Amino acid sequence: MTSPMFKMNTALSQSSDHLLLRYRKARRRVSVVSADSRSLARHSLKRAGHGSLLTVAALFALAIAGSASAEVSELRITKQPSIIYLPLVVMEQNKLVEKQAKAAGRPELKATWITFNSGGAATDALLSDSVDLVTSGVSNLLLLWERTKGQVNGVTSVGGLPMLLVTRDPAVKTLKDFTDKDKIAVPTIKVSSQAMVLKMAMEKMYGEASRDKLDAVTIQLGHPDAMIAVVNGSSEVNSHFSAPPYQYSELKAPGVHLVLDSSDVFGGPASNAVVFGTRKFYDANPKTIALFMAALEEANQLIARDPAGAAKIYLDATKEKYSVEEIVSMIKAPNVVYSTTPNATMVFANFMFKTGLIKTKPASWKEFFFPVAHGFPGT
């Protein structure tokens, strides 16, 4: 029996053929534009930095250029370090996109996986047409959804795992104990899931006036580097709003202790990894999207059925220094969800509207997700 702590979407029991049929029916019938201005920006990853000033108008001028073409033969997908992205690691290592494509009569389709340490770099890559699908936090999805006036939408959730704020400062027991002597690492300042949850927690615990008080002591640093900084104790970074598996390594280090669990802010699981892309790509590649979704569901099935096998796949791919048993314990931990259903995304949307990060308030999570996800019981 699957543990209630490890909730899986009920769609996992469906066959790949049924999934493909379901997603095709769910797709909105709109006009198709060119799928392949890709060659114009194939090498722009090297040019697009974290502070890219590319305008949305210029980027999406590509979307109306050219005529309709066949679906892509290469699907370019991003992920980030952390077992939050475990289903994507399983998909990559087991070549599940290619497996689904071959079964559907598209043996030419291949998936190319690109790893970024922050969501900001990944979203720059999406806007420069250097990748097709980005996996990042809900906050990054919502920022692009508004900036592009709905031309970037969500495709699916990947999962939600608790994020822990840890510190090696013995004087810090609660959020109000942080001072200007501390430095809290987050993947992207102000807009990453961790940065957003930190603001939510400050407001929830100490009132609206306290919401932004820790902005001055947060810095941008990828999870692996932030973990090293906290554990080694030789950096000004003494705290980290982390993610599994890194947070568990940090808590094992002498002098490092827990300050905040994101599950306490949300009251349960919340999606902190979602896949999103442009309407141009979604409309031009419905079969590719369906194959991606079927591959993701297959990865979730494997994780639910064989956590140890999934853990081994993860460790073989990442070369991280954990045991299979340690990764399995993280997979089975409370409030861990690997599911295509978006959870608590409207909590992010409402908070970002309230704080002015987005100017448009969506009435439903379906406003910023494509129809392929609308059959899920999302929130």
Side-chain angles (χ1 to χ4, degrees):
M1 181 179 293
T2 302
S3 167
M5 297 175 182
F6 187 75
K7 302 184 183 78
M8 302 301 299
N9 196 285
T10 55
L12 295 181
S13 62
Q14 298 180 332
S15 70
S16 297
D17 289 342
H18 289 162
L19 285 165
L20 289 170
L21 179 61
R22 191 178 85 191
Y23 294 130
R24 286 167 182 155
K25 287 181 177 179
R27 177 178 170 262
R28 180 180 295 158
R29 299 298 178 185
V30 296
S31 60
V32 176
V33 297
S34 171
D36 219 345
S37 57
R38 301 151 70 87
S39 61
L40 299 178
R42 183 171 296 277
H43 302 294
S44 61
L45 274 171
K46 295 179 180 177
R47 301 195 302 270
H50 290 206
S52 173
L53 298 179
L54 294 170
T55 65
V56 172
L59 292 166
F60 280 92
L62 295 172
I64 60 172
S67 59
S69 63
E71 294 203 12
V72 295
S73 59
E74 178 190 16
L75 178 61
R76 303 164 299 174
I77 316 157
T78 78
K79 63 183 190 303
Q80 295 181 50
S82 171
I83 63 165
I84 292 173
Y85 302 89
L86 175 61
L88 304 185
V89 175
V90 171
M91 289 168 68
E92 178 182 15
Q93 297 304 309
N94 285 13
K95 296 188 178 299
L96 297 185
V97 171
E98 290 84 351
K99 175 185 173 183
Q100 293 289 339
K102 185 177 180 181
R106 291 189 59 200
E108 78 284 356
L109 179 63
K110 72 170 186 174
T112 298
W113 299 86
I114 304 159
T115 301
F116 287 99
N117 279 332
S118 75
T123 56
D124 278 350
L126 180 67
L127 291 178
S128 65
D129 201 25
S130 298
V131 299
D132 303 311
L133 296 175
V134 163
T135 315
S136 188
V138 176
S139 53
N140 279 317
L141 162 59
L142 285 162
L143 287 170
L144 288 196
W145 169 75
E146 170 151 289
R147 249 168 86 196
T148 64
K149 301 186 184 304
Q151 293 304 304
V152 170
N153 275 20
V155 175
T156 181
S157 175
V158 172
L161 286 77
M163 302 175 293
L164 306 182
L165 173 58
V166 301
T167 186
R168 67 166 187 262
D169 185 345
V172 174
K173 306 299 182 186
T174 66
L175 294 180
K176 67 180 180 181
D177 298 326
F178 283 106
T179 70
D180 56 8
K181 296 179 181 179
D182 299 301
K183 294 295 180 186
I184 305 171
V186 295
T188 307
I189 58 173
K190 294 188 177 181
V191 298
S192 64
S193 295
Q194 285 86 347
M196 202 71 59
V197 173
L198 190 58
K199 290 175 180 288
M200 291 180 189
M202 287 293 290
E203 179 176 305
K204 183 177 181 179
M205 295 178 184
Y206 309 116
E208 195 169 311
S210 298
R211 182 174 59 222
D212 302 325
K213 282 190 174 179
L214 295 181
D215 281 0
V217 298
T218 59
I219 67 166
Q220 181 167 310
L221 196 61
H223 290 310
D225 291 335
M227 177 189 71
I228 292 170
V230 171
V231 171
N232 287 352
S234 56
S235 165
E236 65 172 352
V237 176
N238 62 357
S239 307
H240 178 202
F241 209 150
S242 193
Y246 311 107
Q247 58 200 21
Y248 301 114
S249 293
E250 290 166 311
L251 287 171
K252 289 180 179 179
V256 178
H257 62 274
L258 177 67
V259 180
L260 179 71
D261 183 330
S262 66
S263 298
D264 295 333
V265 179
F266 290 104
S271 294
N272 47 14
V274 293
V275 177
F276 49 98
T278 64
R279 187 174 298 278
K280 166 194 165 187
F281 183 83
Y282 175 85
D283 288 343
N285 296 277
K287 295 177 182 178
T288 303
I289 292 291
L291 291 169
F292 173 82
M293 294 294 290
L296 178 58
E297 296 277 22
E298 185 176 351
N300 285 343
Q301 285 182 352
L302 188 151
I303 296 168
R305 181 179 68 250
D306 185 10
K312 188 175 187 305
I313 291 170
Y314 177 84
L315 293 173
D316 287 345
T318 64
K319 310 303 181 188
E320 292 174 350
K321 304 301 182 183
Y322 299 95
S323 68
V324 168
E325 291 74 21
E326 286 174 316
I327 297 296
V328 168
S329 70
M330 297 175 201
I331 293 172
K332 293 184 174 182
N335 294 312
V336 169
V337 177
Y338 290 113
S339 171
T340 50
T341 298
N343 285 309
T345 60
M346 281 300 294
V347 175
F348 282 98
N350 290 335
F351 185 80
M352 291 175 71
F353 175 76
K354 176 183 177 181
T355 57
L357 282 171
I358 58 174
K359 305 300 182 185
T360 305
K361 184 178 182 180
S364 163
W365 65 273
K366 293 181 181 180
E367 287 190 35
F368 51 89
F369 274 83
F370 287 122
V372 70
H374 289 182
F376 299 134
T379 56

